[in-house]
Every structure is written in C-alpha cells, then in structure tokens.
Amino acid sequence: GDQIRSDLWIFPPNDFCNRGRAWWLDCHPEPVLIDCPPVNEGTIQLLKKLAGNRRPKIILTSREAHGSISELNDSLDWPVLVQEQEAYLLPTISRLETFSDVFLTDSRLRLLWTPGPTPGSCIVHAEAPWNVVFCGRLLIPTKLNFLGALRTGRTFHWPRQQKSLQKLREFIPSDAFPRLASGACLDLLENDFLVPWDCW
C-alpha cells in the first residue's frame, strides 16, 4: 500500500476486482478498509500494523469489490459491512453487518446506498477533517483526472445509477467540497489519486 496523506492509504490494483483499488482511512475510534485489496502476506502485515490495537471495519462498496474477502476475513476477523442486497454473496463471513439506505459508523462516516453499478453499491462520505467521498464504482475515471459514470456490459441498472448520482449530490453538504476516491482502476489519474469534487 501507498500512503497518500497522513490518514489515507491506497492499495495496489486487485486483479480479482477488475483491477479495482482499496483504500484505508485512519479514523477514530474505528478505522476502515474500503473494499478488498490484493490478499498476500505483505497486505496482511500492513493492515495489522495500521490497525494497532483497534478493530477496524471493512466496508465493501459493491460486489465488484469483494475480491478475496473471505481469505482476508480469515486472516483478520474484522467485521464486514455491506448493503443488504449483496449480503447473500458473503455466506462465509462470520462478522457480517448490513444496512439498507443510510448508515453511520462508529467514526461517524456516512454511508449511502447508490444502486446502479451493482444492486448494493454504496458510497462512503468521511466528513471533515477527512473530507473524502469513497465512491466505489459509481464514479470511475473516464478521462485524465476526471470521474464519471460509465455504462458497461456489467452495469446492473443504468437509470438507477443516474438517480444515484443525483442522490449523491443531495447527500453531500453544499459547502463540503470533498475529494473523490474511486474504487475503480485509476490509470487515468495522476498524483495522489484523489479527484476534486467538481471534476465529475
């Protein structure tokens, strides 16, 4: 993993997630791992080091980001949170938690159900001082340093995805201007992989 800033790490592309990227946010009291990074000894050791004596939560933003989550769960035994429509895909996860429309974590991160890319897609809004929206596959790099919604053969429901984009705009306070952290392949992004709020 690479440290983007003092509280944020990004992991290498995961070939089991269509080269998607996972993120670590060091928030208190409960840090979060967002989506599944490549599972290997180096990743496991880094995550344990980042966690320290805390028990982080793993948040999965869509079924496209599950990767080897069962293997990761076996190594770490951290609770896993998903939107309820995709919980059935994770029958072996012992500490599985679900939510329906909105959810607030112990560290006051706000989750919003944003169906479209997959039935149970969601975004994670970390308000100030973090000021980041982890947007999963709802918004992906479509041109240099710009995110957009992209209809592909794997898109679950395009009209719902359009409605989810509007839900996202209404969910984020108008004065927040968070940075955007996509969970997709980030080859089109430069620098720190965080995209300004107005670049979508």
Side-chain angles (χ1 to χ4, degrees):
D2 294 319
Q3 190 166 12
I4 301 295
R5 60 189 201 194
S6 62
D7 56 1
L8 190 63
W9 293 69
I10 188 171
F11 289 86
N14 189 341
D15 289 335
F16 291 102
C17 296
N18 195 23
R19 292 189 57 75
R21 305 293 285 256
W23 298 82
W24 168 273
L25 181 65
D26 195 32
C27 49
H28 296 281
E30 180 188 65
V32 291
L33 174 65
I34 297 172
D35 295 332
C36 186
V39 180
N40 52 53
E41 189 58 30
T43 298
I44 300 297
Q45 293 308 313
L46 174 59
L47 288 170
K48 287 180 177 178
K49 179 181 176 182
L50 290 171
N53 58 7
R54 300 169 295 176
R55 169 161 281 180
K57 191 184 294 293
I58 300 172
I59 300 172
L60 298 176
T61 60
S62 83
R63 68 186 181 198
E64 299 287 313
H66 289 187
S68 305
I69 189 64
S70 293
E71 187 181 346
L72 189 69
N73 185 249
D74 288 344
S75 299
L76 298 172
D77 195 33
W78 294 349
V80 176
L81 175 64
V82 295
Q83 202 279 335
E84 61 188 10
Q85 294 202 42
E86 296 183 1
Y88 77 96
L89 297 168
L90 302 168
T92 63
I93 303 297
S94 57
R95 299 177 183 274
L96 188 65
E97 303 171 4
T98 64
F99 75 101
S100 54
D101 190 43
V102 295
F103 187 88
L104 191 67
T105 74
D106 288 349
S107 293
R108 305 198 65 77
L109 307 185
R110 303 191 307 146
L111 277 68
L112 175 69
W113 175 40
T114 52
T118 71
S121 291
C122 69
I123 62 94
V124 183
H125 180 209
E127 296 181 293
W130 308 291
N131 209 30
V132 179
V133 171
F134 299 92
C135 52
R137 303 292 172 95
L138 184 68
L139 292 166
I140 66 175
T142 54
K143 55 188 177 184
L144 189 64
N145 295 327
F146 192 89
L147 300 182
L150 192 63
R151 187 175 190 172
T152 72
R154 297 175 67 86
T155 301
F156 161 65
H157 199 289
W158 183 243
R160 285 191 190 176
Q161 186 159 343
Q162 298 300 298
K163 289 180 181 177
S164 290
L165 292 171
Q166 185 58 39
K167 273 176 66 175
L168 172 61
R169 288 195 184 277
E170 294 168 357
F171 190 67
I172 305 301
S174 59
D175 59 349
F177 302 108
R179 306 283 282 184
L180 293 164
S182 178
C185 177
L186 302 181
D187 291 349
L188 286 172
L189 302 186
E190 301 173 317
N191 303 322
D192 61 4
F193 299 119
L194 294 174
V195 176
W197 175 246
D198 58 359
C199 289
W200 68 285

